[in-house]
Amino acid sequence: MLAMTDTDPDLVALALLVEPVRRDLYDWVVAQGRPVGREEAARALRITRALATFHLDRLADAGLLDSGYQRLTGRVGPGAGRPARVYWRADREFNVSVPARRYDRAAELFATALADLAGDGVP
């Protein structure tokens, strides 16, 4: 049996979407097509800001969302306050295979065998 630390990180990230509120939050952020703040996300899903923050941060930590800081009020200069943390869909691609398949390792073995064959002609 594999320990959670040995598990494919893509599988762990996608497993986060099993939780219904987190999945709804992810789908909502993706549908916006722009960076969104915690307050806006909480209002949209009718959840507390703390719950939205928890789920958004988990999604960002797993690589499903990217995050950064941006002023959402339109105010600038001294006294404008801190920029808010915003989230958007990550460009990362996820690949999951159960059981895990190591195509990269198979390709390396094949390439090594071809290189050896080309060297002296004897497999």
Side-chain angles (χ1 to χ4, degrees), residues 15-28 45 47 51 55 59:
L16 289 174
L17 297 175
V18 170
E19 205 285 323
V21 172
R22 191 174 300 137
R23 177 57 187 254
D24 290 346
L25 190 55
Y26 176 78
D27 289 342
W28 183 83
L45 271 75
I47 58 176
L51 184 59
H55 287 304
L59 292 166

Side-chain angles (χ1 to χ4, degrees), residues 71-82:
R71 291 199 193 276
L72 300 176
T73 62
R75 295 172 51 191
V76 294
R82 281 186 4 195

